[in-house]
Amino acid sequence: MKFGSGQSVRRLEDVRLVQGRGTYTDDIALPGMVHAVMLRSPLAHARILSIDAGEAAAQPGVLAVYTGADCDAAGLGDIPCTTSVRNADGSRVFVPARRPIATDRVRFVGDTVAMVVAETVEAARDAADLILVDYDELPAVTGTARAADPAAPVLYDAHGSNVVLDWELGDRAGTEAALERAAHVVALDLVNNRVVVASMEPRVAIGAFADGRYTLHTPSQGVHGLRDRLAGAVLKVPPETVRVLTPEVGGGFGMKSFVYPEQALVLFAAKALGRPVKWRGERADAFLTDTQGRDHVTRAELALDAEGRFLAVRVDTIANLGAYLSQFAPFIPTLAAGGMQVGVYDIPLIHQRVRGVLTNTTPIDAYRGAGRPEASYVIERLVDAAARETGIAPETLRERNFIAPDRFPYRTAYGSVMDSGEFARLLRTALARADQAGFAARQAGRAREGRLSGLGMAYYVERTAAGQEHARIRVLSDGTVRLHVGTQTNGQGHETALAQIVAERLGIDIERVQLAPGDSDALAEGNGTGGSRSLVMAGGAAGQAADAALEAGAALAARELQTERGALAYEAGVWTAPAGASIGLFDVAAIAARENPEAGGLGADAAFSAATNTFPNGAHVCEVVIDPETGVVEIARYTVVDDFGVVLNPLLVAGQVQGGVAQGLGQAMGEQAVYDPETGQLLTGSFMDYWLPRAGDLPDFDVTKQEVPCRTNPLGVKGCGEAGTVGACGAFVNAVLDALAPYGVRHVDMPVTPEKIWTLTGGRMP
Amino acid sequence: MPDFAYIRARTIAEAVEALSADPQARALSGGQTLIPSIKQRLAQPSALVDLGAIAALRGIAREEAHLRVGAGMRHAEVAADAGVRALAPGLAALAGLIGDPQVRNLGTLGGSIATNDPAADYPAACLALDAEIETSARRLPAEAFFTGFFETALAPGEIVTAVRFTCPRAGAYAKHRSPASGYALTGVFVALLEAGPRVAVTGAGPGVFRWAEAERRLAEGFTADALEGLVPPADDFLSDLHASAAYRAQLVAVMARRALAGAIAGSRG
Ligand SMILES: Cc1cc2nc3c(=O)[nH]c(=O)nc-3n(C[C@H](O)[C@H](O)[C@H](O)COP(=O)(O)OP(=O)(O)OC[C@H]3O[C@@H](n4cnc5c(N)ncnc54)[C@H](O)[C@@H]3O)c2cc1C
């Protein structure tokens, strides 16, 4: 079937995935493969006095037990944190050494203490139980604000403080002056709660070593970055001696972007033992050791003039980074969304300070939105608080301060240039679709039944990642087109979206285009999925590669048809000469394959660069109904109007928004990773204690779009992958606060659990 | 999973024999509680004695003023059973509120009450409907069966075979789920029996209990406003990650009022 841009093509991958025919890393079994189990620290903070693995190593079926000393002896490097972030005073961020296996000290519950490799998982597990570790327990610190307190226990004696990052952006003096002379200042203390990522597929790593080369099978968000960091930082070998392969991935959300100790360890063990080694995380491993998200405490202030115009924003955040600095940890609370607390408003001044602290908790890193949801939450909460305090309707106050459409390209106070946006139009559309006009009547009706209603909104803006991306196309004589890209599908539907782009360029059926799984050998470079960049970047590269393949094909076709290249017409996969003779794309591919067998057909490589980010944006409107007796909140309606520029596949986009909103609402309504403040134990270590929203907990979302084409990329698209998450928390909490306004409540922190609401309502209607 | 022997019992006697012969053996019913705990190595039984093929543990029968439900009946079966829906609609509704569809399609009445999880739903129905617990060795009233936090009166080798619930004149269950697990953060079963009203509370305390003060009020009049303003003292209630004792007390009050309203609305007079 022919499907091009703008059509709701159903996901090509779904039949395979839904029928269980997908190949995930856990489905791979290499000949002679053995199994690794990690012994995890049961303590949040302790010195390791001794490890006795003698009995474990002697168990039947056990091949080896490795500890930190073995990693040291093998010369393995640290699990890397790649950061370009600098402290405000110009100094470097303190990056503690994270060994693949802890050597002298453990710093969070779940820290790896030893690895057992055995013929079966059960044998490895049994043996791990026999390892004797003598710990000297140390006091732990888990709380974000508490960690910055000089009296708190310190994780790294060499650094002497848990504050490892102190970063600033913007105009400190100017912002301070604006706050001082402002007619009105709104201030809020906000918590952005810590969440677990909870990908459906856990982390897995299968390592093999043969002929001087390492091979790693693992779910990832991009094989090349992983290869380079594993090779360069940990294994200390040239990158070409490492091959990373990623088949289907069951969700990453940022978390699968990074190098993890287990990936390095299975490669190390595979080489040492001469057998492929597999580690598959259990759900308990995921709770304890997958990077987690968010965890900020923030003091935020917004200055307004007497007419309600925004003058300046000041934001002071402490960001919990966990026990070690994960790969992008310093980047997420700082540069990833630096200054985006101005939102979509014409605010000339911002000053932002971020202190990053280490705690005895699981490392924190990028989680869907990575900094933008946090920034959006700050400004959208501030704006609503300002509306309530000044008595101006929240939509009016927003409209008064939106960057007007005629101001683009618009340079923000934090330095980025936004290309386009029609914020007032989108907000009005969303409020109309949400039937804001009918809200008062609904509210009155429910009040008669003893239920509260609230309507809240948020206008979010995203900034998607830019950079470079690579693609390779091979038009094969068997009638298919094989596409390699340097991003990596994690289940978002890249197979479909990218096939749409290529099929349209080549004028062929979409089913003929097949996206190859991730393989660092198949393409020289790639930058992975993350920051909502794949369609813009990989789509751009794939389109270019398709065009280049057509160029090459046209030259061959002209030769075959004995005509001028310029005289050929191309349509629906066929070149036609003026005299009527014609030749098909795949026949040309067959000729190309014969003449140049090396290349395997007609093909081209392309590299696509985009220096500028895209700025997807939109309005979320949430209507809640609250039972004041129990505090239970029900979302009665949820309306989203997005501007993703030109939309390639509305169905895929709606899916991304639905999932993103669900994740955002999860954080706002109940998700929270809770650590015991004394012992540092993760109290929410399973789904029996950690709530994730289920389909039944959420209503159908009304998701529509208004296309304001992006002016800075050829497809006119704006990334959509994280947007839902960016807008949802603010809209939900604003709706709850609207409902609770009659009680005089002006603040509640996420997660807004029923019990919290009950303490605010006292169990009664106002 | 660690290794274990697997024994498929055909009769109650066979099951009792296998369990008595090996103190490390455990009965296996729906597996919804036992299998996860084996996987997490919280339990390491030497043998599992599967009760699933024992015909005598199956079936639902009306016995005069009672409903006899076999210990092997799955939650979904109880929820859907026409007899239960007609004679004890609150019990059918309760079974339909347990966990999620997967849990309801495998979990059983016997496994649930033998576990006596303080947040389980069935124990509330057992107390409110003055149930009699039939085991392989005896019959005992529910109040004597549930002895404490995850504790029952079952002796080693003894299995639950059936539960005989009293059909109430009116009765309903109201549950506030723990959002994560689906278990009862608080569940209250209000019933009007021939012998008088009963109010059983689960989830709030360390074990299921009858709320005497509420029963006293209802004895004065089984009317919609009978429980107005009544909140139990929170002193003995659980306080944990999911709810404070005070919030649980509030939920007991609210769920009791709602169960009462449900009971009156569905009353058979
Ligand atoms: C995700 C999830 C959500 C749940 N939500 C709820 C909920 O909302 N409400 C609720 O009440 N429960 C809930 N449960 C528990 C569920 O109801 C279980 O099915 C029940 O607790 C155990 O029943 P089972 O048949 O699965 O027993 P099994 O797991 O097979 O056995 C449990 C224990 O009982 C013993 N046992 C089993 N049968 C007998 C018998 N006949 N005589 C003596 N001992 C026996 C076993 O030896 C074992 O020790 C949930 C469980 C899960 C996994």
Side-chain angles (χ1 to χ4, degrees):
Chain A
M1 267 186 288
K2 296 222 177 346
F3 284 116
S5 285
Q7 299 200 40
S8 283
V9 180
R10 281 171 169 267
R11 289 163 47 112
L12 301 176
E13 48 269 69
D14 277 355
V15 173
R16 180 180 79 243
L17 296 179
V18 169
Q19 292 182 344
R21 290 186 290 111
T23 303
Y24 293 85
T25 305
D26 191 41
D27 297 320
I28 297 170
L30 302 179
M33 188 168 82
V34 290
H35 300 270
V37 162
M38 305 295 157
L39 178 67
R40 307 279 181 199
S41 170
L43 301 176
H45 200 187
R47 261 185 226 101
I48 302 175
L49 300 179
S50 66
I51 302 179
D52 179 358
E55 201 189 340
Q59 295 302 303
V62 173
L63 281 81
V65 180
Y66 298 103
T67 65
D70 299 303
C71 299
D72 288 357
L76 293 186
D78 295 336
I79 303 303
C81 167
T82 52
T83 178
S84 55
V85 181
R86 292 278 180 150
N87 292 317
D89 65 6
S91 63
R92 286 184 177 281
V93 171
F94 172 74
V95 180
R98 181 180 192 185
R99 304 297 298 146
I101 299 181
T103 50
D104 56 337
R105 197 147 147 181
V106 287
R107 291 186 171 85
F108 70 101
V109 175
D111 219 347
T112 310
V113 180
M115 167 171 64
V116 182
V117 184
E119 296 285 350
T120 63
V121 178
E122 276 314 313
R125 275 242 243 169
D126 287 340
D129 287 345
L130 298 173
I131 299 173
L132 301 173
V133 186
D134 194 6
Y135 294 105
D136 174 22
E137 191 167 4
L138 299 168
V141 59
T142 60
T144 311
R146 166 95 178 111
D149 181 340
V154 169
L155 271 76
Y156 295 89
D157 304 331
H159 187 60
S161 156
N162 295 320
V163 180
V164 293
L165 160 78
D166 191 347
W167 174 90
E168 283 182 45
L169 168 145
D171 181 348
R172 176 194 277 265
T175 302
E176 194 172 311
L179 281 156
E180 264 163 28
R181 62 164 191 270
H184 204 93
V185 175
V186 183
L188 286 174
D189 289 299
L190 301 171
V191 170
N192 205 293
N193 46 317
R194 176 191 278 249
V195 296
V196 306
V197 174
S199 61
M200 212 184 281
E201 179 206 22
R203 290 190 296 113
V204 189
I206 303 173
F209 184 83
D211 305 324
R213 272 194 106 200
Y214 293 96
T215 303
L216 175 69
H217 301 263
T218 194
S220 79
Q221 296 189 211
V223 288
H224 297 90
L226 197 55
R227 174 198 63 188
D228 292 350
R229 290 185 188 99
L230 270 171
V234 193
L235 300 169
K236 306 213 162 131
V237 296
E240 56 280 7
T241 59
V242 178
R243 181 182 188 189
V244 178
L245 293 153
T246 294
E248 325 269 14
V249 178
F253 309 108
M255 181 273 290
K256 284 182 183 154
S257 305
F258 325 119
V259 175
Y260 285 88
E262 295 87 353
Q263 292 163 329
L265 290 170
V266 294
L267 291 173
F268 157 70
K271 185 179 178 193
L273 298 171
R275 309 262 303 259
V277 177
K278 174 176 184 174
W279 171 80
R280 187 200 59 198
E282 303 276 325
R283 186 56 64 182
D285 291 287
F287 270 99
L288 290 176
T289 66
D290 290 0
T291 55
Q292 302 180 354
R294 319 284 190 246
D295 203 341
H296 291 186
V297 294
T298 294
R299 170 89 182 159
E301 294 155 287
L302 174 66
L304 298 89
D305 70 12
E307 279 75 51
R309 285 209 172 69
F310 303 159
L311 304 172
V313 181
R314 184 159 67 186
V315 189
D316 189 350
T317 293
I318 302 178
N320 194 337
L321 304 175
Y324 302 95
L325 291 185
S326 175
Q327 195 163 309
F328 301 141
F331 176 80
I332 304 307
T334 58
L335 298 173
M340 290 190 71
Q341 289 82 356
V342 297
V344 285
Y345 308 103
D346 184 18
I347 306 180
L349 286 164
I350 180 160
H351 179 249
Q352 185 187 2
R353 180 185 185 196
V354 178
R355 278 166 291 167
V357 295
L358 295 175
T359 58
N360 296 108
T361 61
T362 302
I364 295 240
D365 207 318
Y367 170 61
R368 199 171 194 171
R372 283 92 78 200
E374 296 91 316
S376 170
Y377 185 65
V378 167
I379 184 66
E380 291 305 304
R381 285 288 313 276
L382 281 173
V383 171
D384 255 43
R388 202 154 293 122
E389 288 181 21
T390 58
I392 304 172
E395 60 275 18
T396 311
L397 189 61
R398 284 183 170 82
E399 284 206 27
R400 196 168 294 172
N401 288 281
F402 278 151
I403 302 160
D406 60 3
R407 301 280 302 278
F408 293 102
Y410 174 90
R411 178 174 291 277
T412 63
Y414 57 91
S416 283
V417 177
M418 293 171 69
D419 62 287
S420 56
E422 297 183 23
F423 312 134
R425 177 162 72 86
L426 267 72
L427 180 60
R428 284 181 192 175
T429 308
L431 290 171
R433 293 191 70 94
D435 189 24
Q436 186 194 33
F439 173 70
R442 294 194 291 279
Q443 185 173 35
R446 293 180 195 130
R448 282 193 291 276
E449 300 160 5
R451 292 183 302 156
L452 302 157
S453 304
L455 185 122
M457 65 194 76
Y459 203 102
Y460 78 90
V461 61
E462 239 274 72
R463 180 175 65 182
T464 65
Q468 225 197 16
E469 203 42 84
H470 301 262
R472 159 171 291 190
I473 268 185
R474 291 290 174 268
V475 184
L476 303 173
S477 46
D478 69 359
T480 63
V481 174
R482 198 158 172 84
L483 173 68
H484 295 268
V485 292
T487 55
Q488 172 64 52
T489 184
N490 272 199
Q492 308 100 313
H494 292 182
E495 243 177 276
T496 307
L498 295 175
Q500 269 181 279
I501 291 174
V502 168
E504 184 170 47
R505 299 288 173 104
L506 299 181
I508 58 170
D509 292 350
I510 186 171
E511 286 86 358
R512 291 179 181 274
V513 185
Q514 287 157 8
L515 181 65
D519 178 354
S520 62
D521 277 4
L523 201 64
E525 284 179 73
N527 289 305
T529 185
S532 304
R533 67 190 293 280
S534 292
L535 181 63
V536 180
M537 303 302 304
Q544 271 183 11
D547 290 346
L550 271 190
E551 269 313 299
L556 274 180
R559 194 190 72 197
E560 291 300 309
L561 301 177
Q562 297 178 343
T563 179
E564 284 296 302
R565 156 96 184 65
L568 285 178
Y570 184 77
E571 213 202 310
V574 178
W575 281 283
T576 311
S582 68
I583 187 165
L585 175 67
F586 295 103
D587 298 322
V588 170
I591 295 168
R594 252 194 331 272
E595 294 182 359
N596 187 359
E598 296 267 288
L602 187 62
D605 292 1
F608 176 83
S609 309
T612 46
N613 312 105
T614 75
F615 293 87
N617 62 83
H620 286 215
V621 183
C622 178
E623 184 172 330
V624 296
V625 178
I626 296 178
D627 173 352
E629 288 193 316
T630 59
V632 170
V633 187
E634 181 202 325
I635 299 179
R637 305 167 87 109
Y638 200 96
T639 311
V640 188
V641 179
D642 292 300
D643 164 16
F644 292 132
V646 175
V647 168
L648 183 73
N649 183 330
L651 193 64
L652 285 180
V653 165
Q656 287 298 298
V657 175
Q658 301 265 0
V661 170
Q663 269 176 318
L665 290 175
Q667 183 186 6
M669 296 174 74
E671 287 191 49
Q672 181 155 36
V674 181
Y675 288 87
D676 183 286
E678 300 298 323
T679 65
Q681 295 292 329
L682 178 64
L683 300 178
T684 50
S686 83
F687 289 124
M688 293 304 265
D689 291 314
Y690 185 94
W691 176 74
L692 268 192
R694 274 83 155 173
D697 296 324
L698 302 169
D700 275 343
F701 306 141
D702 175 30
V703 177
T704 54
K705 61 184 166 62
Q706 299 275 317
E707 300 189 18
V708 183
C710 185
R711 299 183 197 162
T712 56
N713 69 62
L715 298 171
V717 298
K718 305 177 184 179
C720 74
E722 295 157 299
T725 326
V726 182
C729 293
F732 177 80
V733 178
N734 284 340
V736 169
L737 287 173
D738 185 50
L740 297 182
Y743 298 88
V745 173
R746 63 182 291 269
H747 175 71
V748 62
D749 271 320
M750 299 189 289
V752 188
T753 58
E755 181 167 1
K756 266 188 204 165
I757 294 187
W758 167 68
T759 56
L760 297 169
T761 61
R764 281 176 290 277
M765 285 297 278
Chain B
M1 254 200 254
D3 287 346
F4 49 80
Y6 175 80
I7 299 156
R8 194 169 175 78
R10 303 275 150 201
T11 62
I12 294 171
E14 250 178 62
V16 169
E17 193 191 319
L19 289 165
S20 305
D22 177 357
Q24 302 303 317
R26 292 278 292 275
L28 172 71
S29 192
Q32 295 303 288
T33 296
L34 188 52
I35 300 294
S37 51
I38 296 174
K39 283 188 175 171
Q40 290 165 35
R41 301 195 164 206
L42 299 172
Q44 296 217 26
S46 55
L48 290 184
V49 180
D50 190 345
L51 310 180
I54 303 176
L57 300 182
R58 306 275 311 152
I60 296 174
R62 179 170 189 183
E63 295 180 349
E64 293 168 10
H66 292 91
L67 268 170
R68 185 178 179 280
V69 182
M73 295 306 286
R74 305 187 191 284
H75 310 329
E77 292 171 330
V78 175
D81 186 82
V84 180
R85 294 170 76 120
L87 299 171
L91 178 62
L94 173 147
L97 288 171
I98 295 175
D100 49 47
Q102 288 94 323
V103 170
R104 290 197 288 277
N105 285 332
L106 283 169
T108 64
L109 171 61
S112 175
I113 67 165
T115 306
N116 193 18
D117 187 311
D121 296 297
Y122 268 131
C126 291
L127 283 199
L129 300 179
D130 191 15
E132 194 174 47
I133 314 296
E134 291 180 12
T135 77
S136 49
R138 55 190 161 147
R139 286 179 170 203
L140 69 171
E143 261 158 309
F145 180 82
F146 300 112
T147 52
F149 190 67
F150 287 102
E151 298 270 335
T152 67
L154 285 174
E158 183 178 7
I159 62 169
V160 178
T161 52
V163 178
R164 290 177 78 244
F165 297 98
T166 312
C167 300
R169 290 225 305 254
Y173 181 64
K175 174 179 183 179
H176 185 93
R177 287 166 172 272
S178 168
S181 70
Y183 276 88
L185 203 52
T186 287
V188 180
F189 204 121
V190 172
L192 182 60
L193 308 182
E194 296 302 334
R198 286 199 168 208
V199 179
V201 178
T202 189
V208 64
F209 66 93
R210 284 171 64 186
W211 184 13
E213 179 61 19
E215 290 185 359
R216 201 185 53 73
R217 288 240 200 144
L218 290 174
E220 286 165 13
F222 200 83
T223 54
D225 59 355
L227 300 178
E228 218 50 58
L230 187 67
V231 182
D235 308 334
D236 296 332
F237 286 175
L238 301 171
S239 193
D240 58 25
L241 190 64
H242 303 293
S244 66
Y247 183 52
R248 280 189 163 93
Q250 164 77 5
L251 290 177
V252 170
V254 176
M255 293 306 123
R257 287 202 300 271
R258 290 181 187 178
L260 175 61
I264 290 170
S267 165
R268 293 184 294 124

